[in-house]
Each structure stands twice: as structure tokens, then as C-alpha cells.
């Protein structure tokens, strides 16, 4: 077996709308305590939320960098206004590494180094080679990809490949805000009602099964995507970075137990048990990576 | 392509539907191959290469155009079918291919530089820099715009990008950013993005319980209907979900899109072409919808008001909306 650099743990962008103070405290604790190598900051879901955290952002980024974290700035997944395009241009001027989540960013980046985020479809070698030839250093693969496809794509190129291994999996992004709609408001007059739900709003079926999580214009799985049992094989297949997506629970503890398991200091049954204790009643899902319906849970063999 | 008032782009799920669309006045017909390379990969639909060649012949003899949709995203390790589809569309004399995947766009640009390329709605290009990016790298001549844009936003994109635009005029209202929606694969394990079928019929069931009908996709109940209430097809974004203790059509009502009343506004916005959806619909649907839009466009071209026409019987769920073209949709 060839020597590989140790797999990097990353903390994906916070997808929910948390109050600014809370968001700041979260990142300061991550800086001090979480064994993650990379931290993505930035607003992915809705540009109306951005101004809330803006006063705190630079100091948070500095603290994360001072703690030795690579900081990457994630962009919106669906860019629609000229103002949102300008914001990407301004971010670029600041010199941070950008995670491009809309093809618009690739135009603005014009070949400069960047990370391709999970909201840009790179499902195959052709798309991979195209983005790598235009400045992508790392590709965060879409959550829908099965392990076999991940292996095929991650086998090629000197780039990094990242897969989300913890947290609710993003399923769709829309122009329409479902949080506002559920509260009988329009998107223009939403009053950031998504902030009421720091872990998203559960959507259930009419016969009582919890199935989706609503986060403004974004829809996620109800269960937490948990690829603990699959992580070692993904790394063996060429995945270089494993992403933990922030949820409203002790993410430092989540990062520690993933790190311990990856380093061989904790076995899989113990890691799963510890994770269950942290996540409470929310189920685990991992169907996509097994080529099944995403809401399925395939227990570790 | 030389559009009249607005170019009328019409669906053909079968060779018979292609001829029906041409006969009813389509300027352009779009279709796909009988496999996972197009986003309407349903049983009994679509074309083999010979049928495509014959269909293109029928259209070209009458001065019409044929576009071939190759607009899903290839699975890793299996790009062959998508590349062959591009080759076959070119060989059959297609007037353009409609593509979404970066790799397939790159392939078509390098192998068939003379073949006109349109950007599929599955690429979800909703802003000027994205469209500019696709034009710069793949020379796309036309973009099919997401159906979530207002007419003012469409006009701004036309102005800013200089690329031909095609907008949805009749069909379904899709609230999600297309080509990036994993709801159906979350419930069924089959991916619309790579297998080309959202809410495949193989996974649909209607179950009767206590006098009500439950519609299911996979193991998930997407709606409940009272006795006598028509049971809509269980598409994940048209289901009824419970939030805050209340059941509602959280994403979108089960209604159809009909922009027939907005044709002068779309023309004024600088739109090039109108897209009618429905490759999975009957030949009769194609004839009626295409004929209605043809009559309206011809009247507008003569400076006359379009004839009063009702297409409500053909819309999804029998009800219609102007979608994002009317104010307040969001």
C-alpha cells in the first residue's frame, strides 16, 4: 500500500441560520477545540442572511487561521442577483480560497485556484477533468454519488476529493423559500423566519413519517448522513478530505470521534454508539453511497 | 434558425408525436434517445438512431428543426452512451443538441465543433456569469432558462448575455433548481440526474386505506386523497407534507404551467423561443397544445389579439398557473 497523507477532516459551511453571536461562539470553539483541518465559512443558502453575521466574520476567520485551520469561503448554491455576483467578486479580492457552489463562480474565478463545491455537478471523469483543467484544487462530490462512482472519479488527477460523511445531506435548492411558505410569508417578506429553526424544520408525510428537513430555500434529508463505516474505503479509493456538516449538536465531539476512528484509536461500533448518543432520536442514513435510496440505512457489516 | 414571432419548440416522445408536432405547427421539435442519456427516460418513449434520422427528414422537408436532448449527467466510468448519443445526433443531422453535463459539453465542443449546442435547463443556469461561462467554454448558442425566473429577470439575462433564450411556456412548474435535485433518488434510489427519470412509475403505488387513497413513491407517502378526489401523480416536489402541524403543498401545488397569456411580455423581454413540455404525453396532447400556441403566435405576428383558448384539460392536475411569470410566486 502506498503511503498516503493522513485524511483531512473538514467542517463544511454552516447551512442553517443561527444568530450571529451563536455562530461566532461556535467557530471560536471550533478554532480552539475541534480536530478539523479545514473550515468552510460563508453563506450557501440565502444572501438575505449574510448581513447578520458580516460584522463578526473577519475576526472569526482570523481566529480560525491563527488556530492553524485552512479557511475556505463557500458561496451561495444558487446565485440570481447582480448583487450576489458582485459579492463573489469582492470575496475573490480578499484572497481567501473559494468553494464555488454555482457555475457563476467559475466564470468569476477565471481559472484561479478554488474548490468546486457539492452543488456543482461533477459526476464523472469528463466533468472532473474539465474543472481540474480550470483551476480546481479539490472537488467536493455531490451527496448522491455511490461509492463506485466516487472511486472512479477520485482515482484520477492530483487533486483533492472531498465527501460529506456526517450531517443532513442537501437534496435540493430552490428560488422559492419553503420556510417562508410554511409560515404563510413570501420570500421578500420572510423576516428571516428560518432563524427559528437552528437545526432546520422537519417536514413529515401525511401519515406521520419524518422525511425531510427544510432550511429556507434548501431541502435536506431528515436523517443525518453517516458514512462512518464507509470512510476507510472512501479514503482507500482516493478521497482526501472528509466533511462534517454542522448540525445543532456538539460538533466538536463529532469531530473528535471521527478523528479517533480514522486514526485507529476507536473502533466502528464504539464510534457509532458514541454518535448515536450525540444525535439523539434523529435517524442515520447512508443509502446514496450504497447506490440505494438516500433515506436507507445500511448498517456496517 | 429563423423564428417568427417566437420560435415554438415542441416535445416529441415518439416518431408519431414528432410528425403530429410538425403538422400542428411546431417550428422546432425536441426529442431524445431511448436510454438514460435524456431526462425523460420512461418506458415506451423516445427514439432509436433510425427513427431519429427519419424524424429529422420529415421535419427538414417541411422547413422545421429537430433538437436532441442529451441532458442527463453520465455516471462515472460509463460516459460511452452519452458520447455515442452526441455522435449519433450529429450523424442524423440534428440541428442542435441540448446538453447539461460539463464533460458532455466538453466532448461535443471538441468532437463536433460545427454542431450547434444548447444549454439544457438541467444545467440550472440562472444568472449571467453562468451563461457567459458556458458560452466561453462551449460556445453555447442558446440557454433553456429555469422556470423560476420572473419576466423581468429573463429580460435582464437576454440583455446581459446576448445568448438566445428559450423559456418554458407550457408544462409543469418545477420549483427546485433543476439538474441538482436529489429528492426522487432519496426516495427511490433511481437518479433523475443520471438515469433520467424523476418519480419512476416502477416505484409509484396508490394504496387504499380507510376509504382514502394514499399515493406513494418508494416507501414514502406523498399525498392523501379523499374519496372521489382525483389522485395526482406522486412527484416529490408536488407532494403534501406536514410542517408546523399543518399539511400543505409545501413546495408546489399540483398545477400546470401555462404562459399563453404572457406571450407579448415574453416577446418584449427578448426571448427567442418558447418550450412546450410533454415528451411523456400523448400525440393528441401534442396536437392540441402545439396547435393552440401556433394560432396564438400567428395572431400576434399579424398584430391581432390571440384567439381565446382553453388548455386547462391538458394541464397537470387540470389546474394551471403562470408560475414565476406572475408576481408573488416566490
Amino acid at each position: 500500500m502506498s503511503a498516503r497523507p493522513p485524511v483531512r477532516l473538514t467542517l463544511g459551511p454552516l447551512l442553517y441560520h443561527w444568530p450571529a453571536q451563536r455562530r461566532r461562539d461556535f467557530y471560536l470553539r471550533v478554532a480552539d477545540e475541534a480536530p478539523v483541518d479545514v473550515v468552510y465559512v460563508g453563506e450557501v443558502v440565502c444572501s438575505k442572511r449574510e448581513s447578520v453575521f458580516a460584522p463578526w466574520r473577519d475576526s472569526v476567520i482570523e481566529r480560525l487561521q491563527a488556530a492553524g485551520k485552512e479557511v475556505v469561503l463557500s458561496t451561495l448554491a444558487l446565485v440570481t442577483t447582480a448583487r450576489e455576483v458582485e459579492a463573489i467578486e469582492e470575496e475573490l479580492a480578499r484572497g481567501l480560497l473559494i468553494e464555488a457552489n454555482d457555475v457563476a463562480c467559475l466564470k468569476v474565478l477565471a481559472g484561479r485556484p478554488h474548490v468546486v463545491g457539492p452543488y456543482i455537478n461533477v459526476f464523472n471523469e469528463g466533468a472532473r477533468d474539465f474543472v481540474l483543467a480550470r483551476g480546481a484544487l479539490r472537488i467536493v462530490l455531490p451527496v448522491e454519488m455511490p461509492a463506485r462512482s466516487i472511486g472512479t472519479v477520485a482515482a484520477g488527477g492530483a487533486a483533492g476529493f472531498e465527501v460529506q460523511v456526517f450531517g443532513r445531506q442537501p437534496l435540493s435548492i430552490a428560488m422559492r423559500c419553503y420556510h417562508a411558505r410554511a409560515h404563510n410569508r413570501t420570500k421578500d417578506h420572510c423576516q428571516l423566519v428560518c432563524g427559528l429553526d437552528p437545526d432546520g424544520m422537519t417536514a413529515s408525510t401525511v401519515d406521520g413519517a419524518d422525511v425531510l428537513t427544510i432550511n429556507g430555500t434548501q431541502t435536506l434529508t431528515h436523517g443525518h448522513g453517516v458514512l462512518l463505516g464507509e470512510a476507510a474505503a472512501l479514503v482507500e479509493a482516493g478521497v482526501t478530505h472528509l466533511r462534517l456538516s454542522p448540525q445543532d449538536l456538539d460538533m466538536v465531539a463529532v469531530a473528535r470521534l471521527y478523528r479517533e476512528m480514522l486514526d485507529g484509536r476507536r473502533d466502528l461500533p464504539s464510534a457509532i454508539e458514541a454518535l448515536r448518543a450525540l444525535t439523539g432520536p434523529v435517524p442515520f442514513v447512508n443509502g446514496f453511497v450504497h447506490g440505494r435510496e438516500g433515506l436507507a440505512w445500511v448498517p456496517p457489516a | 434558425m429563423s423564428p417568427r414571432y417566437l420560435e415554438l419548440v415542441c416535445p416529441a416522445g415518439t416518431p408519431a408525436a414528432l410528425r403530429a408536432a410538425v403538422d400542428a405547427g411546431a417550428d422546432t421539435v425536441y426529442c431524445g434517445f431511448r436510454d438514460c442519456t435524456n431526462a425523460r427516460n420512461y418506458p415506451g418513449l423516445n427514439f432509436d438512431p433510425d427513427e431519429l434520422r427519419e424524424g429529422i427528414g420529415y421535419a427538414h422537408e417541411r422547413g422545421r428543426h429537430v433538437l436532441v436532448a442529451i441532458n442527463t449527467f453520465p455516471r462515472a466510468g460509463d460516459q460511452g452512451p452519452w458520447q455515442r448519443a452526441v455522435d449519433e445526433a450529429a450523424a442524423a443531422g440534428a440541428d442542435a443538441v441540448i446538453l447539461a453535463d460539463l464533460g458532455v459539453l466538453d466532448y461535443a465542443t471538441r468532437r463536433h465543433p460545427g454542431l450547434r449546442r444548447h444549454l439544457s435547463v438541467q444545467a440550472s443556469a440562472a444568472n449571467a456569469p453562468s451563461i457567459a461561462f458556458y458560452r466561453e467554454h462551449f460556445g453555447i448558442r442558446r440557454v433553456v432558462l429555469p422556470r423560476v425566473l420572473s419576466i423581468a429577470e429573463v429580460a435582464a439575462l437576454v440583455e446581459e448575455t446576448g445568448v438566445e433564450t428559450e423559456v418554458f411556456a407550457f408544462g409543469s412548474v418545477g420549483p427546485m433548481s433543476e439538474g441538482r435535485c436529489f429528492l426522487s433518488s432519496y426516495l427511490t434510489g433511481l437518479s433523475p440526474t443520471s438515469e433520467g427519470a424523476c418519480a419512476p412509475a416502477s416505484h409509484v403505488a396508490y394504496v387504499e386505506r380507510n376509504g382514502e387513497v394514499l399515493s406513494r413513491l418508494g416507501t414514502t407517502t406523498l399525498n392523501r386523497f379523499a374519496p372521489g378526489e382525483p389522485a395526482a401523480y406522486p412527484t416529490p416536489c408536488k407532494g403534501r407534507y406536514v410542517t408546523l402541524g399543518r399539511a400543505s403543498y409545501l413546495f408546489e401545488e399540483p398545477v400546470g404551467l401555462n404562459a399563453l397569456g404572457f406571450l407579448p411580455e415574453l416577446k418584449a423581454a427578448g426571448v427567442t423561443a418558447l418550450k412546450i413540455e410533454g415528451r411523456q404525453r400523448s400525440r393528441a396532447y401534442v396536437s392540441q397544445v402545439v396547435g393552440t400556441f401556433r394560432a396564438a403566435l400567428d395572431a400576434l405576428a399579424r398584430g391581432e389579439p390571440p384567439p381565446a383558448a382553453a388548455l386547462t384539460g391538458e394541464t397537470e392536475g387540470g389546474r394551471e398557473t403562470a408560475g414565476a411569470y406572475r408576481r408573488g410566486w416566490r
Side-chain angles (χ1 to χ4, degrees):
Chain A
M1 207 164 60
S2 61
R4 277 179 204 286
V7 65
R8 305 297 178 94
L9 265 188
T10 78
L11 186 73
L14 173 63
L15 300 174
Y16 308 110
H17 184 48
W18 290 2
Q21 183 91 26
R22 178 153 180 220
R23 197 181 283 233
R24 188 195 61 156
D25 294 347
F26 170 72
Y27 282 117
L28 296 187
R29 182 161 179 242
V30 164
D32 291 341
E33 299 179 40
V36 296
D37 306 287
V38 183
V39 179
Y40 293 81
V41 297
E43 177 58 47
V44 170
V45 174
C46 178
S47 62
K48 291 178 71 175
R49 300 169 172 180
E50 281 174 334
S51 61
V52 177
F53 187 58
W56 309 95
R57 219 188 56 170
D58 288 354
S59 63
V60 159
I61 290 172
E62 278 168 29
R63 277 284 292 276
L64 288 165
Q65 288 172 328
K69 315 294 187 196
E70 175 189 330
V71 176
V72 184
L73 195 69
S74 300
T75 74
L76 291 171
L78 181 57
V79 173
T80 52
T81 69
R83 175 69 201 105
E84 290 165 357
V85 175
E86 282 166 29
I88 300 168
E89 288 162 351
E90 287 161 17
E91 298 298 359
L92 256 177
R94 294 157 49 101
L96 280 175
L97 189 60
I98 301 268
E99 178 186 58
N101 285 319
D102 183 301
V103 169
C105 308
L106 302 183
K107 172 65 182 164
V108 176
L109 281 155
R112 279 169 285 192
H114 61 274
V115 177
V116 170
Y119 304 94
I120 291 181
N121 281 349
V122 176
F123 278 112
N124 53 64
E125 310 90 301
R128 173 199 67 200
D129 293 345
F130 178 81
V131 298
L132 291 186
R134 278 153 197 86
L137 303 175
R138 179 158 81 238
I139 302 171
V140 188
L141 297 170
V143 296
E144 196 194 49
M145 273 175 86
R148 188 194 300 189
S149 296
I150 293 172
T152 302
V153 170
F161 295 95
E162 181 166 337
V163 171
Q164 180 177 318
V165 294
F166 176 75
R168 292 188 177 86
Q169 297 172 326
L171 296 174
S172 76
I173 190 87
M175 201 76 99
R176 195 175 228 188
C177 178
Y178 306 122
H179 241 108
R181 209 166 135 81
H183 285 268
N184 289 317
R185 299 180 191 180
T186 64
K187 192 179 174 201
D188 287 343
H189 299 98
C190 69
Q191 298 168 287
L192 294 175
V193 69
C194 54
L196 293 175
D197 299 303
D199 217 23
M201 175 174 63
T202 301
S204 315
T205 65
V206 289
D207 52 1
D210 295 340
V211 64
L212 297 170
T213 299
I214 303 302
N215 173 35
T217 58
Q218 184 177 51
T219 305
L220 304 124
T221 59
H222 167 64
H224 291 300
V226 171
L227 275 56
L228 263 174
E230 296 79 4
L234 291 171
V235 173
E236 191 56 37
V239 173
T240 57
H241 292 65
L242 299 177
R243 169 173 292 200
L244 313 173
S245 182
Q247 311 292 320
D248 188 19
L249 48 83
D250 187 348
M251 289 303 295
V252 170
V254 170
R256 283 188 184 135
L257 77 87
Y258 270 80
R259 190 73 262 175
E260 287 165 8
M261 204 204 67
L262 293 165
D263 292 347
R265 288 181 283 130
R266 192 192 260 281
D267 65 17
L268 180 59
S270 141
I272 288 185
E273 195 189 325
L275 196 58
R276 290 247 190 238
L278 290 169
T279 53
V282 177
F284 292 172
V285 301
N286 64 0
F288 283 137
V289 79
H290 293 280
R292 294 191 37 190
E293 63 278 21
L295 52 66
W297 169 245
V298 180
Chain B
M1 301 191 187
S2 51
R4 290 177 254 181
Y5 185 81
L6 287 164
E7 180 184 331
L8 186 57
V9 181
C10 304
T14 61
L18 183 149
R19 291 189 296 273
V22 168
D23 295 346
D27 296 306
T28 301
V29 178
Y30 66 100
C31 54
F33 288 112
R34 193 171 293 139
D35 60 20
C36 53
T37 62
N38 83 89
R40 292 292 179 278
N41 180 22
Y42 295 110
L45 282 193
N46 298 319
F47 290 64
D48 67 26
D50 287 336
E51 289 166 341
L52 179 66
R53 197 168 293 109
E54 286 165 23
I56 289 173
Y58 187 84
H60 283 182
E61 282 162 23
R62 290 156 183 80
R64 322 298 173 81
H65 296 103
V66 176
L67 316 178
V68 179
I70 306 166
N71 57 348
T72 50
F73 297 81
R75 289 176 296 259
D78 188 25
Q79 298 179 97
W82 283 263
Q83 297 179 348
R84 272 197 301 282
V86 173
D87 296 342
E88 278 163 359
D95 296 285
V97 283
I98 309 171
L99 310 176
D101 179 64
L102 291 168
V104 177
L105 280 157
D106 190 41
Y107 175 85
T109 306
R110 285 185 289 108
R111 283 300 178 87
H112 303 282
L115 176 62
R116 195 179 150 98
R117 292 173 291 284
H118 292 184
L119 189 66
S120 170
V121 72
Q122 297 295 316
S124 185
N127 54 61
S130 293
I131 296 166
F133 181 84
Y134 286 106
R135 183 166 73 164
E136 176 183 331
H137 292 284
F138 310 117
I140 59 141
R141 303 280 295 278
R142 178 181 297 181
V143 54
V144 184
L145 292 177
R147 58 196 104 193
V148 292
L149 300 175
S150 68
I151 291 178
E153 287 165 332
V154 170
L157 286 177
V158 170
E159 169 94 22
E160 208 172 334
T161 64
V163 175
E164 289 180 10
T165 57
E166 182 172 310
V167 302
F168 284 88
F170 196 86
S172 82
V173 184
M176 306 305 191
S177 184
E178 288 172 72
R180 311 197 277 175
C181 177
F182 307 146
L183 283 174
S184 185
S185 52
Y186 173 63
L187 301 180
T188 70
L190 293 175
S191 163
T193 48
S194 61
E195 277 138 313
C198 180
S202 55
H203 288 65
V204 169
Y206 296 91
V207 184
E208 218 177 310
R209 206 169 65 189
N210 305 329
E212 294 179 323
V213 172
L214 302 181
S215 64
R216 289 213 171 118
L217 185 62
T219 57
T220 304
T221 299
L222 291 188
N223 213 335
R224 179 168 55 196
F225 304 95
E229 188 183 358
Y233 194 83
T235 304
C237 62
K238 307 283 175 65
R240 210 178 263 165
Y241 298 91
V242 178
T243 50
L244 308 172
R246 186 173 65 94
S248 71
Y249 289 107
L250 179 63
F251 300 121
E252 183 56 274
E253 317 273 328
V255 296
L257 171 70
N258 184 357
L260 194 61
F262 287 84
L263 303 183
E265 289 86 349
L266 291 168
K267 170 80 176 166
V271 164
T272 300
L274 297 178
K275 189 177 203 91
I276 310 287
E277 243 185 335
R279 284 189 280 153
Q280 70 278 35
R281 303 289 298 268
S282 69
R283 192 172 51 169
Y285 161 94
V286 169
S287 297
Q288 198 202 338
V289 177
V290 175
T292 302
F293 272 86
R294 177 78 276 152
L297 292 171
D298 288 349
L300 288 164
R302 291 189 303 266
E304 299 164 10
L311 284 172
T312 309
E314 299 294 352
T315 53
E316 188 178 338
R319 291 193 294 141
E320 64 182 46
T321 172
Y325 299 136
R326 72 171 157 78
R327 282 179 184 280
W329 177 77
R330 280 174 208 155

